Amino acid sequence: MLNIILFGPPGAGKGTQSQKLVEHYQLEHISTGDLLRSEMAAGTALGKQAQDYMQKGALVPDAVVIGMIESKLKAQTHAKGIIFDGFPRTLAQAQALDELLQAHGQKIACLLSLEVEEGELTKRILERGKTSGRIDDQNEELVKRRVQVYRNETEIVATHYEKQGKLERINGIGEIEEITQKLKTAIDKAAAKS
Ligand code: AMP
């Protein structure tokens, strides 16, 4: 299996690029943000648990997110591979993911980090908020808080995979197609190694 983490701050382009890569490589796409939003829309207990955190721009507790990923992975045993988008977001999530994959004889091939500076992120998310219907995309303070949470709690995940020799930094500014091309080159390189 080809398991890839598409990484980066909110607004870096993970969702957009995931769609392109999923099509090209025929992989499954697991976005914890999308999963949590569907749970919320369906009014499930999990959705209710997540709601307060999401509306504040805070991370949903690790146990909730890891439990959700665990059941998703059980359903994906026949996939060619998975693109993880918005997960892992903490060191505990990264360690849990490594262990879950290992239990299935699998591993992460690479973590691709989309690098975009903060001013551009805020601009992109507020623009997306005009059509996404997401409350957390519409308020500048909340957007800034999410970027701060990324710096404080999530960036360390890149270091975790760097230590495993799996980190690839990609400039996330430019034409969408040009960025997709850079991601494909990095994925092909990682796939050849693994
Ligand atoms: P996203 O769609 O990835 O920007 O995620 C939207 C919100 O969902 C985040 O601000 C968090 O509140 C929550 N969320 C998504 N993925 C995770 C995760 N892996 N760990 C904790 N919270 C998450």
Side-chain angles (χ1 to χ4, degrees):
M1 274 173 80
L2 182 59
N3 299 309
I4 295 159
I5 299 170
L6 196 49
F7 191 76
K14 300 187 295 294
T16 306
Q17 293 296 340
S18 289
Q19 293 309 331
K20 305 257 174 204
L21 299 174
V22 160
E23 265 174 44
H24 182 79
Y25 292 98
Q26 306 281 294
L27 303 173
E28 297 297 325
H29 177 212
I30 297 185
S31 152
T32 41
D34 286 351
L35 290 172
L36 290 166
R37 278 184 289 277
S38 336
E39 295 281 344
M40 247 164 53
T44 64
L46 198 155
K48 288 187 181 130
Q49 236 181 322
Q51 190 155 356
D52 274 357
Y53 297 96
M54 292 175 79
Q55 285 176 352
K56 279 191 274 185
L59 294 185
V60 173
D62 286 335
V64 175
V65 178
I66 292 167
M68 201 170 70
I69 286 285
E70 197 171 355
S71 50
K72 261 303 208 194
L73 286 181
K74 280 193 190 130
Q76 302 288 2
T77 46
H78 298 298
K80 273 190 176 178
I82 299 170
I83 294 197
F84 294 94
D85 161 5
F87 177 88
R89 257 175 156 102
T90 63
L91 192 53
Q93 291 180 17
Q95 287 162 342
L97 177 63
D98 290 349
E99 281 169 24
L100 283 169
L101 289 174
Q102 207 173 4
H104 293 96
Q106 300 293 330
K107 60 180 184 327
I108 289 297
C110 60
L111 178 147
L112 308 173
S113 177
L114 288 169
E115 315 266 309
V116 177
E117 49 89 17
E118 188 154 344
E120 173 71 14
L121 294 173
T122 317
K123 206 174 80 188
R124 283 189 190 177
I125 298 178
L126 291 173
E127 190 58 36
R128 181 173 78 187
K130 292 181 187 164
T131 52
S132 72
R134 284 177 55 175
I135 308 282
D136 63 346
D137 282 349
Q138 293 175 31
N139 168 305
E140 187 163 351
E141 276 314 301
L142 200 50
V143 169
K144 288 195 166 145
R145 197 170 316 142
R146 285 163 60 203
V147 175
Q148 199 55 48
V149 166
Y150 171 82
R151 303 274 176 239
N152 293 343
E153 302 183 51
T154 304
E155 244 175 7
I156 191 169
V157 171
T159 314
H160 172 78
Y161 288 100
E162 186 173 26
K163 286 183 190 151
Q164 299 181 18
K166 293 176 179 171
L167 167 66
E168 199 68 57
R169 295 183 192 278
I170 311 275
N171 181 359
I173 303 212
E175 293 296 322
I176 291 176
E177 279 308 323
E178 178 198 342
I179 298 167
T180 309
Q181 206 43 57
K182 288 186 202 156
L183 290 167
K184 284 183 187 165
T185 305
I187 292 173
D188 293 342
K189 196 175 92 187
K193 264 204 275 178
S194 63

